[in-house]
Amino acid sequence: MKKNSSFKNSVFLFILLFFVFLSFGRAGTLVVDNTPSDGICENTMSYYATIQEAVNKAHDGDIIKICKGNYNESVTINGIDNLTITSGADVNSPTDVNWYSNGNTLTINGNSKNLVIENISIKSNATSSSNKNIYIKKVKNKIKFQNLVIKTEGATAIYGGYSVDNGLKGYFKDLNITTGGNGIYINEGSTQEFENINIEMTSNSGNLDGIFLGNNVNNDKNHSFKHLSFLVKAGSAINLDSGKNMIFEDINITADSYGDNTQAIRLDWNVNGQADLSFKNINIDLNKGIGISIAKAKNISAENVVINGSTNYSFYAQDSVTGNLSFQNITFNVNNNYGLLINEGKDVTINSANISGSSANGWGIQTKENVTGNLNFKDINVTTHVGGIDIKKGKKVTFDNIKVNSDSSSSNDVGVRFDNSNFKAISITNSELSATGDALRVAGSSNLTVDSSKLTTRGDHAIYINTNVKKATLKNSCFHNTSSSGNSYAIYIYNWNNNI
């Protein structure tokens, strides 16, 4: 009896394990091949002629492999979790799978979770901007797009709609996108990561963006933008209406149809006010417009940033930047107006900068009245057609090895101007300042020091010291006036009662 009972238990256990195995076994591989006469690309006897057929038969956790070929169809994924769509064994390049349609080519719906789309090409021939090549309609948790070739005539390449779960994380990696519409346009979600992406915009519309994050994307989440290349016409390369801490690294942008107010990288007013922003290894070439514009943030750091051709601002930190700003190894070649303009902030540090070409009403560098901390400038070359450096306000200011040359013919254009009476201390050492106007004009400071420097004016004063300078020390320096005007001086001190 004991043996029989043991045998029955063993049979029961075997049957149970068998059905468990079948249950797990349902997460399998489905093969799509619309030219099976050439031989199915995977080692299987069963296949589907269309991608939609395979999607309809797929279960959670399945992998759909698409063999080499042309697939003209619009596909909808509806409520499948952990699904991967990838290429078959005969595919050597993503373009070997040519999946296209005349409308929305892929729609992801039904609260699907954790999807991966990879190693294929997806195209929409639709000419309307209302179409979406890849439409992320209703998705949860995370979605990953990697190693894709994406082309559109007028549709948005990848579009994330307003019904996406607010916790959806997006991963975009190794994408080549050529689009007549928007590139990657995300209206809602959580953390977004962009890496190794090439985007070419073929439309001249200024309303189209390379990468866009709308103001419904969770504003407390961090985003990263790394190894990106943009060839754009008239729209922004990166346009962000939300986000907290963000990294921009190894980014190249070329624009050939900008207007004066178009912004290559734009961070708007809905960005989190506590955001820390990091820009590193950025190269922007413009025909016109603005390089980087930041409406709102806390701290900003920029390192190895080159911006050529701007006609409004190369780098613009607006009125709601409340923390510290740091710039290292920056080059701004300006065609008009400002090189670097900072409206608000605390401490500002600039180490190693080359700024040239500012004209019209701009300055090479200007910090406004709401910049209230210490300013440390070192190893800076500014060549302008207007004023060089204008500091409206601050506490302690240190200039070391600063070279400013304004070639303007107007005596109103100053080399360096401190345009406020509330500076605690100003120190200028090892510097050369030259302008038709005052080479150095100081409205006020508790303590001014000029040491081991050369200041030259061609039409006004080499140094102009106003009444509100309480103490000034000038030593080991040359103050040179090349003008023949009787109202022009090498050293002009407005009030002798001060401690000079």
Side-chain angles (χ1 to χ4, degrees):
M1 293 295 292
K2 289 182 179 180
K3 289 184 178 181
N4 189 42
S5 175
S6 176
F7 175 77
K8 288 180 179 180
N9 290 337
S10 298
V11 171
F12 175 79
L13 181 61
F14 174 81
I15 293 171
L16 178 63
L17 291 173
F18 177 76
F19 280 104
V20 170
F21 173 79
L22 285 181
S23 176
F24 281 105
R26 292 185 67 180
T29 300
L30 296 85
V31 177
V32 180
D33 194 339
N34 62 4
T35 56
S37 59
D38 296 335
I40 302 171
C41 70
E42 296 287 333
N43 186 21
T44 180
M45 296 301 294
S46 62
Y47 64 92
Y48 300 91
T50 68
I51 300 167
Q52 186 67 67
E53 273 188 273
V55 168
N56 292 343
K57 295 293 184 179
H59 298 91
D60 293 350
D62 280 352
I63 299 173
I64 296 176
K65 293 189 175 183
I66 306 175
C67 298
K68 185 176 181 178
N70 298 311
Y71 300 86
N72 181 4
E73 56 179 307
S74 294
V75 173
T76 298
I77 300 171
N78 203 342
I80 306 174
D81 297 343
N82 303 304
L83 178 68
T84 297
I85 297 179
T86 187
S87 59
D90 64 342
V91 172
N92 297 314
S93 167
T95 55
D96 288 344
V97 176
N98 181 29
W99 176 7
Y100 63 98
S101 79
N102 292 323
N104 300 346
T105 303
L106 173 61
T107 300
I108 305 169
N109 204 358
N111 287 323
S112 301
K113 299 178 185 177
N114 303 331
L115 301 183
V116 178
I117 314 295
E118 64 181 12
N119 305 330
I120 57 177
S121 69
I122 304 177
K123 180 179 179 180
S124 173
N125 294 321
T127 57
S128 172
S129 60
S130 63
N131 285 106
K132 296 92 178 173
N133 182 41
I134 299 175
Y135 184 9
I136 310 168
K137 191 172 184 180
K138 203 166 186 180
V139 185
K140 289 185 174 182
N141 205 8
K142 66 180 179 180
I143 191 165
K144 181 183 290 186
F145 299 94
Q146 59 187 18
N147 196 28
L148 300 177
V149 174
I150 297 172
K151 293 184 178 181
T152 77
E153 297 298 323
T156 294
I158 300 176
Y159 182 87
Y162 288 99
S163 296
V164 165
D165 185 81
N166 191 247
L168 178 68
K169 297 178 180 179
Y171 299 90
F172 306 85
K173 185 177 182 181
D174 300 326
L175 307 181
N176 280 287
I177 298 174
T178 303
T179 178
N182 291 290
I184 303 173
Y185 197 97
I186 306 298
N187 285 300
E188 193 153 354
S190 182
T191 298
Q192 309 293 318
E193 295 183 10
F194 305 88
E195 183 177 357
N196 197 27
I197 299 174
N198 298 310
I199 297 179
E200 180 179 354
M201 313 281 290
T202 60
S203 172
N204 284 315
S205 171
N207 296 321
L208 302 174
D209 300 311
I211 295 175
F212 172 81
L213 299 184
N215 57 22
N216 285 327
V217 175
N218 194 319
N219 208 30
D220 288 326
K221 298 301 180 181
N222 306 328
H223 311 302
S224 64
F225 305 81
K226 296 182 178 181
H227 312 297
L228 309 180
S229 179
F230 298 88
L231 182 60
V232 299
K233 294 289 187 180
S236 294
I238 300 174
N239 185 0
L240 307 179
D241 274 350
S242 64
K244 195 176 180 183
N245 301 331
M246 288 181 268
I247 296 172
F248 303 84
E249 187 173 313
D250 296 322
I251 296 176
N252 292 285
I253 299 170
T254 301
D256 62 14
S257 300
Y258 272 15
D260 287 331
N261 295 316
T262 312
Q263 303 160 43
I265 298 178
R266 174 181 180 266
L267 281 75
D268 208 8
W269 296 101
N270 290 307
V271 168
N272 193 306
Q274 296 301 306
D276 288 339
L277 307 178
S278 173
F279 299 87
K280 187 175 182 180
N281 302 332
I282 311 294
N283 191 89
I284 299 174
D285 289 309
L286 307 175
N287 67 302
K288 286 184 177 182
I290 300 168
I292 299 173
S293 177
I294 301 166
K296 196 175 186 180
K298 187 178 181 182
N299 301 311
I300 298 172
S301 68
E303 181 180 355
N304 300 332
V305 176
V306 177
I307 301 174
N308 298 313
S310 64
T311 55
N312 212 330
Y313 317 98
S314 287
F315 198 112
Y316 183 22
Q318 299 186 43
D319 294 329
S320 292
V321 176
T322 59
N324 301 325
L325 299 94
S326 173
F327 300 87
Q328 183 171 343
N329 194 23
I330 60 172
T331 300
F332 299 155
N333 296 311
V334 184
N335 284 340
N336 203 4
N337 284 326
Y338 294 86
L340 173 61
L341 176 59
I342 302 172
N343 278 2
E344 187 169 3
K346 292 182 180 176
D347 295 346
V348 178
T349 301
I350 305 176
N351 285 323
S352 185
N354 287 281
I355 299 174
S356 64
S358 295
S359 59
N361 296 315
W363 291 82
I365 299 171
Q366 185 179 54
T367 65
K368 291 289 193 71
E369 291 86 351
N370 289 325
V371 177
T372 58
N374 299 322
L375 291 84
N376 293 284
F377 292 6
K378 185 176 181 180
D379 301 332
I380 296 174
N381 285 282
V382 177
T383 303
T384 77
H385 309 305
V386 283
I389 301 175
D390 183 33
I391 309 297
K392 294 290 188 183
K393 193 174 181 180
K395 293 180 181 177
K396 295 181 179 180
V397 182
T398 302
F399 279 20
D400 185 10
N401 193 28
I402 308 300
K403 292 180 173 61
V404 174
N405 182 24
S406 168
D407 64 9
S408 168
S409 60
S410 172
S411 61
N412 293 322
D413 291 327
V414 176
V416 174
R417 181 174 72 178
F418 294 94
D419 197 23
N420 190 284
S421 62
N422 296 319
F423 296 97
K424 289 185 177 179
I426 297 171
S427 173
I428 298 174
T429 59
N430 307 309
S431 297
E432 294 183 20
L433 314 179
S434 176
T436 298
D438 298 331
L440 173 63
R441 181 185 296 172
V442 183
S445 175
S446 298
N447 192 346
L448 167 67
T449 299
V450 178
D451 187 7
S452 304
S453 297
K454 181 178 180 180
L455 282 63
T456 302
T457 181
R458 297 184 297 275
D460 216 333
H461 313 301
I463 182 170
Y464 179 104
I465 301 174
N466 207 343
T467 306
N468 292 312
V469 175
K470 305 304 180 185
K471 178 181 178 181
T473 301
L474 314 179
K475 61 180 182 178
N476 304 320
S477 297
C478 174
F479 303 92
H480 191 199
N481 174 15
T482 64
S483 171
S484 59
S485 170
N487 295 320
S488 179
Y489 303 94
I491 299 175
Y492 184 92
I493 302 171
Y494 187 78
N495 191 328
W496 281 100
N497 294 324
N498 298 332
N499 186 3
I500 307 296

